[in-house]
Amino acid sequence: RHPGWPAKLGPLRVPAGILAVRPVRLRDAGEWSRVRLRDREHLEMWEPTGIGPWPDRNAFWSWPSQWLALRGLARRGQCLPFTITVDGRFAGQITVGNVIRASLRSAWIGYWVSSDIVRGGVATGAVALVTDHVFDFGGLHRLEATVRPENTPSLRVLGKAGYRQEGLFERYLDVAGGWRDHFCYAVTKEETGDGLVSRLVAKGLAERG
Ligand code: ACO
């Protein structure tokens, strides 16, 4: 067992509904595949370049191997792979990856939300829940999020959640078939005060329970 894993986070009331975050499950296969096959245009331009065609990579039968790989990394303390739910239904994923411990104690955070539920505060709430969790229970001190400058919604999510821009990584990630510049956003535990969720609640962007 590694600190902070497995965990269920929330619930949090956001405009889209009741938001919660829990470990990825093998039985997410059906909804994961249905949403991702439908949402190719919404997702592909922001995601790391994959091997093989989108329909194959996101087919029902490709989830078990992805889930096994994520579970293996989670069991080794290298990753915290969560499913986002809204009103109990699959709504996307949020993942803390490349966890480095020792004197760095840092990781990246990445997320996506089903197109039929965007603009309802889901990603912002999920980022706040997961950030507070890894700082309070996961033994981490810093989280980093890298975002393409064109990704206005995701930049907005990080701003609302309390991350700050640290710089621009040029030709940083192989995304949608090319080396793309990314803004680097980050937050350290010292900056979070009573927690990012508490701040969202104080700003009226979410309610507990
Ligand atoms: N132009 C300007 N602002 C926009 C647009 C747009 N086209 N679309 C959405 N927004 C704003 C919303 O209005 C909202 O801001 P507001 O609350 O000030 O009105 C904000 O962007 C979105 O906030 P949330 O509702 O909390 O986020 P949501 O649940 O809609 O999810 C996300 C945002 C995750 C970026 C979703 O759009 C998505 O899955 N996109 C595709 C995948 C992706 O880009 N993932 C992030 C990659 S970067 C990373 O993981 C660090």
Side-chain angles (χ1 to χ4, degrees):
R1 283 257 172 131
H2 283 274
W5 189 261
K8 290 184 177 178
L9 314 179
L12 209 55
R13 183 182 290 275
V14 295
I18 301 293
L19 163 68
V21 168
R22 51 133 177 104
V24 289
R25 293 176 185 158
L26 183 55
R27 62 180 180 277
D28 287 330
E31 277 300 279
W32 173 85
S33 175
R34 183 185 69 78
V35 172
R36 291 185 57 87
L37 291 175
R38 181 198 67 197
D39 279 356
R40 179 175 183 166
E41 278 189 35
H42 170 59
L43 299 172
E44 197 173 24
M45 65 203 286
W46 311 118
E47 294 198 352
T49 305
I51 299 162
W54 183 269
D56 288 352
R57 281 192 278 128
N58 294 287
F60 180 84
W61 45 261
S62 87
W63 176 249
S65 58
Q66 293 193 38
W67 169 76
L68 266 180
L70 290 170
R71 194 181 64 159
L73 289 168
R75 286 182 169 176
R76 292 197 294 278
Q78 295 165 353
C79 175
L80 295 89
F82 293 106
T83 291
I84 302 170
T85 63
V86 173
D87 297 332
R89 287 208 295 271
F90 182 94
Q93 287 176 267
I94 183 162
T95 308
V96 173
N98 198 21
V99 174
I100 309 289
R101 299 202 186 264
S103 53
L104 189 60
R105 299 204 281 284
S106 187
W108 54 250
I109 186 166
Y111 42 81
W112 67 270
V113 168
S114 171
S115 66
D116 57 13
I117 208 165
V118 289
R119 293 177 175 247
V122 173
T124 303
V127 167
L129 282 169
V130 170
T131 303
D132 287 350
H133 174 71
V134 298
F135 289 165
D136 291 343
F137 303 104
L140 296 186
H141 170 252
R142 176 177 177 274
L143 279 177
E144 176 177 298
T146 53
V147 189
R148 293 181 65 180
E150 304 84 359
N151 194 345
T152 312
S154 185
L155 294 171
R156 185 81 194 110
V157 165
L158 294 169
K160 285 192 293 177
Y163 281 57
R164 84 198 127 65
Q165 191 180 323
E166 289 197 330
L168 174 70
F169 293 169
E170 295 186 30
R171 298 171 297 286
Y172 176 65
L173 262 187
D174 184 1
V175 166
W179 292 105
R180 312 293 180 181
D181 292 351
H182 281 69
F183 284 134
C184 175
Y185 277 69
V187 67
T188 60
K189 186 171 166 55
E190 292 84 347
E191 297 165 75
T192 59
D194 292 336
L196 298 186
V197 170
S198 295
R199 254 192 241 164
L200 285 186
V201 170
K203 284 196 275 185
L205 295 176
E207 281 171 36
R208 287 184 203 276

